[in-house]
Amino acid sequence: MTIMDDFEKEVSAVVAEAIKGMGAGDVQFSVERSSVETVDLAVPCFPLAKALRKAPKAIAEELAAAISPSGMISSVSAANGFLNFNIDPAALVKGTLDEICEKGSDYGTLPKSGIRVNVEHTSTNPTGPIHVGRARNPIIGDTLARCLKKCGHDVATEYYVNDVGKQVVVLTWGVNNATPEEVAAEIEEHARTIGQNEKERDKTDHRLVANYRVANKKMEADPAVQEQITSMLRGFEAGDHQVIDTVRHTAEIMLDGLRETLSNINVTLDRYTWESGYIADGSAKAIVEKLKESKYAGKTDDGAWFVDLKDFGVQGKNTKFTFTRSDGTTLYTTRDLAYHMDKFTRADRLIDVLGEDQKLGSKQLCSALEILGSERMPEPLFYAFVSLPEGKMSTRKGVVVYLDDLIDESVARAYEEISKRRSDMSEEKMREIARIVGVGAIRYNIVRVQPEKQFVFKWEDALNFDGNSGPYLQYVHARACSLLRKAGGFEHDTDPSKLTDEFEVKLAKVLSEYEAVIRSAGDDKKVHLLPAYGHELASAFNQFYAAVSVLDAGSCRNARLTLVECAKVVLADVLDCLGMGAPEEM
């Protein structure tokens, strides 16, 4: 329990007593962290109006007059129907620093909850590398998982491998049948089409993507190839293990490249689940049989089965949720239902990180789960796609920027900036820090914007060493490390009488808010709050650093160094939750 939790309990107790004194008895009220900078906690009096038969403004003023500052409460006031409280600065400083010194990097970590949370993210089609448009998915998903772990939950991250669809089968045919000459010619032609030079080709045109394009062209031109691919699809759906194994082998090759990309942005997944598994084990077929028995089930003229979802709030042409083709084979939607039913057996809470184009699909999935009798539903976390200043990318036209390219460019730009600032540093060290900064810049810049808001990735924002950016947080962490190195050994001192400057108290207050931010970022799926908090903490540290001397502070030296160390510990943890490195020099 943090000092702010203790303060909240104290405020709740005195407010309950004061309300009782007004003759209201047991009335429900809430104590909230205030959004007003000059107020620590607030009690909204609007819900009390009915019980006390008074205007909220009058209630707040009467309660403020009845409560005297005591204990941790340094001041009580009323404003616009809110009862406001401030914590005693000495209690805040000592309580916060004592807790951070005691807990170290565990500060802000909530107790074990016993809740199992499954976070499915990334799950892109494995027929090609991740492009920048969908870069938000793995970064948001990974950051959310890190925050949920910090919330005390047992978290597993998962990637659902789409190895059943036509695209993967077409790719498999291309891998097994396209000649090296055809693939080389396709790479050459594609590079010429998008104006790509020789140097860039190997990096941006994955060999298997070229196999896929060759297969597509041959399928369109040759009915015999079309029939071979259709036959593979039928065999796959029928559970032919030879076809399934062949396709899965191709998907595994693509996944190796995807894992490497994810590793480059500090993302690892705990589990890869294969869509084909739900065909092989018969669970997709079981879903079909159960849906057929539903009163919402029907058949189209050509024999495909569907459930009608108009009673579930789905409108217009989308009310028919098809779950088999006319030949009786299952669809992605059917297998997705089997997948979610499987996940329900493995977790208490399911979170699906999805592109904004999946809103209808998610609604249809939840409606079908309801028809199947599921009392639990997955929680979707939708994000808008990333675009670049040049505009949106087009996969169909081949005008794509891959995430690998973005990482490479970010690292190169970070190196250029660091080499300007640190000519005293070895080449190897500069390269190492450039990678940490470059990757961190991408992750921070993508998470700082609310997922559902449109987002344009700009280098001037991502690699701004002085603004709301990843490099800024990392630079402040390095500054704190530098101060502590220069100081040498010191003893922890949390005496609040030595930390009375307004910027010292402000920094302690920001540090005290970390657990509440983690709780909101994780449990409420508001990951954008974490970089906002990190920036606030870094700014508060820089203000403190500019306002007071640390190394030449006389009797206050140890206390100020303790505050520096506490800020460094929390900043490092924020960077870790954001999936960013915490360099000790920059």
Side-chain angles (χ1 to χ4, degrees), residues 211-246:
N211 285 73
Y212 176 72
R213 286 199 291 265
V214 170
N216 249 318
K217 288 177 180 176
K218 294 187 83 133
M219 184 175 65
E220 288 171 11
D222 188 345
V225 173
Q226 170 79 60
E227 178 50 38
Q228 287 174 35
I229 290 170
T230 303
S231 175
M232 283 178 72
L233 273 168
R234 279 197 296 264
F236 204 122
E237 281 285 350
D240 184 323
H241 286 281
Q242 188 177 348
V243 176
I244 290 174
D245 289 346
T246 303

Short mmCIF file of all heavy atoms in Angstrom, two decimals, residues 211-246:
data_model
loop_
_atom_site.label_atom_id
_atom_site.label_comp_id
_atom_site.label_asym_id
_atom_site.label_seq_id
_atom_site.Cartn_x
_atom_site.Cartn_y
_atom_site.Cartn_z
N ASN A 211 8.00 -15.39 -53.99
CA ASN A 211 7.39 -16.69 -54.32
C ASN A 211 5.87 -16.57 -54.36
O ASN A 211 5.20 -17.14 -55.23
CB ASN A 211 7.76 -17.74 -53.27
CG ASN A 211 9.19 -18.24 -53.41
OD1 ASN A 211 10.12 -17.53 -53.09
ND2 ASN A 211 9.37 -19.46 -53.90
N TYR A 212 5.33 -15.84 -53.42
CA TYR A 212 3.88 -15.65 -53.33
C TYR A 212 3.36 -14.91 -54.56
O TYR A 212 2.34 -15.30 -55.15
CB TYR A 212 3.56 -14.86 -52.05
CG TYR A 212 2.11 -14.50 -51.88
CD1 TYR A 212 1.16 -15.47 -51.57
CD2 TYR A 212 1.68 -13.18 -52.03
CE1 TYR A 212 -0.18 -15.14 -51.42
CE2 TYR A 212 0.35 -12.84 -51.88
CZ TYR A 212 -0.58 -13.82 -51.57
OH TYR A 212 -1.90 -13.49 -51.42
N ARG A 213 4.08 -13.88 -54.99
CA ARG A 213 3.63 -13.11 -56.15
C ARG A 213 3.72 -13.96 -57.43
O ARG A 213 2.85 -13.88 -58.30
CB ARG A 213 4.44 -11.82 -56.28
CG ARG A 213 4.05 -10.76 -55.25
CD ARG A 213 4.53 -9.38 -55.68
NE ARG A 213 5.98 -9.27 -55.63
CZ ARG A 213 6.67 -8.78 -54.61
NH1 ARG A 213 6.03 -8.37 -53.53
NH2 ARG A 213 7.97 -8.70 -54.65
N VAL A 214 4.78 -14.76 -57.54
CA VAL A 214 4.91 -15.66 -58.70
C VAL A 214 3.73 -16.62 -58.74
O VAL A 214 3.10 -16.83 -59.79
CB VAL A 214 6.25 -16.44 -58.64
CG1 VAL A 214 6.25 -17.55 -59.71
CG2 VAL A 214 7.43 -15.51 -58.87
N ALA A 215 3.41 -17.23 -57.59
CA ALA A 215 2.31 -18.19 -57.52
C ALA A 215 0.98 -17.54 -57.91
O ALA A 215 0.17 -18.14 -58.64
CB ALA A 215 2.22 -18.78 -56.12
N ASN A 216 0.75 -16.32 -57.45
CA ASN A 216 -0.49 -15.61 -57.76
C ASN A 216 -0.63 -15.38 -59.26
O ASN A 216 -1.70 -15.59 -59.84
CB ASN A 216 -0.50 -14.25 -57.04
CG ASN A 216 -1.54 -14.22 -55.93
OD1 ASN A 216 -2.65 -14.71 -56.09
ND2 ASN A 216 -1.17 -13.65 -54.80
N LYS A 217 0.46 -14.95 -59.89
CA LYS A 217 0.42 -14.69 -61.33
C LYS A 217 0.17 -15.98 -62.12
O LYS A 217 -0.61 -16.00 -63.07
CB LYS A 217 1.73 -14.03 -61.78
CG LYS A 217 1.87 -12.57 -61.32
CD LYS A 217 3.22 -11.98 -61.71
CE LYS A 217 3.34 -10.53 -61.25
NZ LYS A 217 4.66 -9.96 -61.53
N LYS A 218 0.83 -17.04 -61.70
CA LYS A 218 0.67 -18.33 -62.42
C LYS A 218 -0.74 -18.88 -62.21
O LYS A 218 -1.32 -19.50 -63.12
CB LYS A 218 1.73 -19.34 -61.92
CG LYS A 218 3.15 -18.94 -62.29
CD LYS A 218 4.15 -20.01 -61.95
CE LYS A 218 4.22 -21.04 -63.04
NZ LYS A 218 5.58 -21.40 -63.44
N MET A 219 -1.30 -18.67 -61.04
CA MET A 219 -2.64 -19.15 -60.75
C MET A 219 -3.67 -18.43 -61.63
O MET A 219 -4.61 -19.04 -62.14
CB MET A 219 -2.96 -18.89 -59.27
CG MET A 219 -4.30 -19.43 -58.80
SD MET A 219 -4.53 -19.22 -57.01
CE MET A 219 -4.55 -17.45 -56.88
N GLU A 220 -3.46 -17.14 -61.84
CA GLU A 220 -4.38 -16.35 -62.67
C GLU A 220 -4.24 -16.74 -64.15
O GLU A 220 -5.21 -16.70 -64.90
CB GLU A 220 -4.09 -14.86 -62.50
CG GLU A 220 -4.55 -14.31 -61.14
CD GLU A 220 -4.06 -12.90 -60.89
OE1 GLU A 220 -3.56 -12.26 -61.83
OE2 GLU A 220 -4.18 -12.43 -59.74
N ALA A 221 -3.03 -17.13 -64.55
CA ALA A 221 -2.78 -17.42 -65.96
C ALA A 221 -3.01 -18.87 -66.35
O ALA A 221 -3.28 -19.18 -67.52
CB ALA A 221 -1.34 -17.02 -66.32
N ASP A 222 -2.94 -19.79 -65.39
CA ASP A 222 -2.96 -21.21 -65.71
C ASP A 222 -4.01 -21.96 -64.89
O ASP A 222 -3.85 -22.12 -63.66
CB ASP A 222 -1.56 -21.80 -65.43
CG ASP A 222 -1.42 -23.24 -65.91
OD1 ASP A 222 -2.46 -23.88 -66.19
OD2 ASP A 222 -0.27 -23.73 -65.97
N PRO A 223 -5.10 -22.43 -65.52
CA PRO A 223 -6.16 -23.16 -64.79
C PRO A 223 -5.62 -24.39 -64.06
O PRO A 223 -6.15 -24.77 -63.01
CB PRO A 223 -7.14 -23.56 -65.89
CG PRO A 223 -6.88 -22.61 -67.01
CD PRO A 223 -5.43 -22.28 -66.94
N ALA A 224 -4.58 -25.04 -64.59
CA ALA A 224 -4.02 -26.23 -63.94
C ALA A 224 -3.42 -25.87 -62.58
O ALA A 224 -3.57 -26.61 -61.59
CB ALA A 224 -2.96 -26.87 -64.84
N VAL A 225 -2.74 -24.71 -62.51
CA VAL A 225 -2.18 -24.24 -61.23
C VAL A 225 -3.30 -23.89 -60.27
O VAL A 225 -3.26 -24.23 -59.07
CB VAL A 225 -1.24 -23.03 -61.46
CG1 VAL A 225 -0.80 -22.43 -60.12
CG2 VAL A 225 -0.03 -23.43 -62.28
N GLN A 226 -4.33 -23.25 -60.83
CA GLN A 226 -5.51 -22.90 -60.01
C GLN A 226 -6.10 -24.16 -59.37
O GLN A 226 -6.43 -24.19 -58.18
CB GLN A 226 -6.56 -22.21 -60.89
CG GLN A 226 -7.92 -22.01 -60.24
CD GLN A 226 -7.93 -20.83 -59.29
OE1 GLN A 226 -7.67 -19.71 -59.68
NE2 GLN A 226 -8.21 -21.10 -58.03
N GLU A 227 -6.21 -25.23 -60.16
CA GLU A 227 -6.79 -26.49 -59.67
C GLU A 227 -5.89 -27.13 -58.61
O GLU A 227 -6.38 -27.66 -57.60
CB GLU A 227 -7.01 -27.46 -60.83
CG GLU A 227 -7.56 -28.83 -60.44
CD GLU A 227 -8.78 -28.77 -59.53
OE1 GLU A 227 -9.64 -27.88 -59.72
OE2 GLU A 227 -8.86 -29.59 -58.59
N GLN A 228 -4.58 -27.07 -58.81
CA GLN A 228 -3.64 -27.63 -57.81
C GLN A 228 -3.80 -26.93 -56.46
O GLN A 228 -3.83 -27.57 -55.40
CB GLN A 228 -2.20 -27.48 -58.31
CG GLN A 228 -1.83 -28.42 -59.44
CD GLN A 228 -0.42 -28.11 -59.98
OE1 GLN A 228 0.47 -27.73 -59.23
NE2 GLN A 228 -0.25 -28.24 -61.29
N ILE A 229 -3.91 -25.61 -56.51
CA ILE A 229 -4.04 -24.82 -55.27
C ILE A 229 -5.39 -25.09 -54.62
O ILE A 229 -5.49 -25.25 -53.39
CB ILE A 229 -3.80 -23.32 -55.56
CG1 ILE A 229 -2.32 -23.11 -55.88
CG2 ILE A 229 -4.24 -22.45 -54.39
CD1 ILE A 229 -1.95 -21.75 -56.41
N THR A 230 -6.45 -25.17 -55.43
CA THR A 230 -7.78 -25.47 -54.90
C THR A 230 -7.80 -26.85 -54.25
O THR A 230 -8.39 -27.06 -53.18
CB THR A 230 -8.84 -25.40 -56.03
OG1 THR A 230 -8.79 -24.10 -56.63
CG2 THR A 230 -10.24 -25.66 -55.50
N SER A 231 -7.14 -27.79 -54.88
CA SER A 231 -7.05 -29.15 -54.34
C SER A 231 -6.33 -29.17 -52.99
O SER A 231 -6.72 -29.87 -52.06
CB SER A 231 -6.31 -30.05 -55.35
OG SER A 231 -6.12 -31.34 -54.81
N MET A 232 -5.25 -28.36 -52.89
CA MET A 232 -4.54 -28.26 -51.61
C MET A 232 -5.45 -27.69 -50.53
O MET A 232 -5.47 -28.17 -49.39
CB MET A 232 -3.30 -27.35 -51.75
CG MET A 232 -2.12 -28.01 -52.43
SD MET A 232 -0.73 -26.84 -52.61
CE MET A 232 -0.18 -26.69 -50.90
N LEU A 233 -6.24 -26.68 -50.90
CA LEU A 233 -7.17 -26.06 -49.94
C LEU A 233 -8.20 -27.07 -49.44
O LEU A 233 -8.50 -27.15 -48.25
CB LEU A 233 -7.89 -24.87 -50.59
CG LEU A 233 -7.19 -23.51 -50.50
CD1 LEU A 233 -7.87 -22.51 -51.43
CD2 LEU A 233 -7.24 -22.99 -49.07
N ARG A 234 -8.74 -27.85 -50.40
CA ARG A 234 -9.74 -28.87 -50.02
C ARG A 234 -9.12 -29.92 -49.09
O ARG A 234 -9.71 -30.32 -48.10
CB ARG A 234 -10.30 -29.55 -51.28
CG ARG A 234 -11.39 -28.75 -51.98
CD ARG A 234 -12.18 -29.64 -52.94
NE ARG A 234 -11.33 -30.13 -54.03
CZ ARG A 234 -11.23 -29.58 -55.24
NH1 ARG A 234 -11.94 -28.50 -55.52
NH2 ARG A 234 -10.45 -30.08 -56.17
N GLY A 235 -7.90 -30.35 -49.43
CA GLY A 235 -7.21 -31.33 -48.60
C GLY A 235 -6.95 -30.79 -47.20
O GLY A 235 -7.10 -31.50 -46.20
N PHE A 236 -6.57 -29.52 -47.14
CA PHE A 236 -6.32 -28.88 -45.85
C PHE A 236 -7.58 -28.92 -44.99
O PHE A 236 -7.56 -29.32 -43.82
CB PHE A 236 -5.87 -27.43 -46.08
CG PHE A 236 -5.06 -26.85 -44.96
CD1 PHE A 236 -3.80 -26.36 -45.19
CD2 PHE A 236 -5.55 -26.80 -43.66
CE1 PHE A 236 -3.03 -25.82 -44.16
CE2 PHE A 236 -4.81 -26.27 -42.64
CZ PHE A 236 -3.53 -25.78 -42.88
N GLU A 237 -8.69 -28.47 -45.60
CA GLU A 237 -9.97 -28.42 -44.88
C GLU A 237 -10.45 -29.80 -44.44
O GLU A 237 -11.11 -29.95 -43.43
CB GLU A 237 -11.04 -27.76 -45.76
CG GLU A 237 -10.95 -26.25 -45.79
CD GLU A 237 -11.48 -25.62 -44.52
OE1 GLU A 237 -12.08 -26.34 -43.70
OE2 GLU A 237 -11.28 -24.41 -44.34
N ALA A 238 -10.10 -30.81 -45.24
CA ALA A 238 -10.52 -32.18 -44.90
C ALA A 238 -9.64 -32.79 -43.82
O ALA A 238 -9.86 -33.93 -43.39
CB ALA A 238 -10.50 -33.05 -46.15
N GLY A 239 -8.61 -32.05 -43.40
CA GLY A 239 -7.74 -32.55 -42.33
C GLY A 239 -6.61 -33.41 -42.83
O GLY A 239 -6.05 -34.21 -42.07
N ASP A 240 -6.24 -33.27 -44.13
CA ASP A 240 -5.12 -34.04 -44.70
C ASP A 240 -3.82 -33.59 -44.02
O ASP A 240 -3.32 -32.49 -44.25
CB ASP A 240 -5.05 -33.77 -46.22
CG ASP A 240 -3.98 -34.61 -46.92
OD1 ASP A 240 -2.91 -34.83 -46.32
OD2 ASP A 240 -4.21 -35.01 -48.07
N HIS A 241 -3.26 -34.47 -43.18
CA HIS A 241 -2.10 -34.10 -42.37
C HIS A 241 -0.87 -33.79 -43.22
O HIS A 241 -0.04 -32.96 -42.82
CB HIS A 241 -1.79 -35.20 -41.35
CG HIS A 241 -2.77 -35.22 -40.22
ND1 HIS A 241 -2.70 -34.32 -39.18
CD2 HIS A 241 -3.87 -35.99 -39.99
CE1 HIS A 241 -3.69 -34.55 -38.33
NE2 HIS A 241 -4.42 -35.56 -38.81
N GLN A 242 -0.75 -34.42 -44.38
CA GLN A 242 0.40 -34.14 -45.24
C GLN A 242 0.35 -32.70 -45.75
O GLN A 242 1.35 -31.98 -45.74
CB GLN A 242 0.45 -35.13 -46.41
CG GLN A 242 1.74 -34.99 -47.23
CD GLN A 242 1.82 -36.03 -48.35
OE1 GLN A 242 1.05 -36.98 -48.38
NE2 GLN A 242 2.77 -35.84 -49.25
N VAL A 243 -0.85 -32.28 -46.20
CA VAL A 243 -1.01 -30.90 -46.69
C VAL A 243 -0.81 -29.92 -45.52
O VAL A 243 -0.10 -28.91 -45.65
CB VAL A 243 -2.40 -30.70 -47.33
CG1 VAL A 243 -2.58 -29.24 -47.73
CG2 VAL A 243 -2.58 -31.61 -48.53
N ILE A 244 -1.42 -30.23 -44.38
CA ILE A 244 -1.30 -29.34 -43.20
C ILE A 244 0.17 -29.17 -42.82
O ILE A 244 0.64 -28.05 -42.57
CB ILE A 244 -2.13 -29.89 -42.02
CG1 ILE A 244 -3.63 -29.75 -42.31
CG2 ILE A 244 -1.78 -29.17 -40.71
CD1 ILE A 244 -4.55 -30.38 -41.28
N ASP A 245 0.92 -30.26 -42.78
CA ASP A 245 2.33 -30.20 -42.39
C ASP A 245 3.16 -29.41 -43.40
O ASP A 245 4.06 -28.64 -43.02
CB ASP A 245 2.91 -31.61 -42.25
CG ASP A 245 2.37 -32.34 -41.02
OD1 ASP A 245 1.77 -31.66 -40.16
OD2 ASP A 245 2.53 -33.57 -40.93
N THR A 246 2.84 -29.57 -44.69
CA THR A 246 3.57 -28.84 -45.74
C THR A 246 3.35 -27.34 -45.61
O THR A 246 4.29 -26.54 -45.67
CB THR A 246 3.12 -29.31 -47.15
OG1 THR A 246 3.30 -30.72 -47.24
CG2 THR A 246 3.91 -28.62 -48.25
#
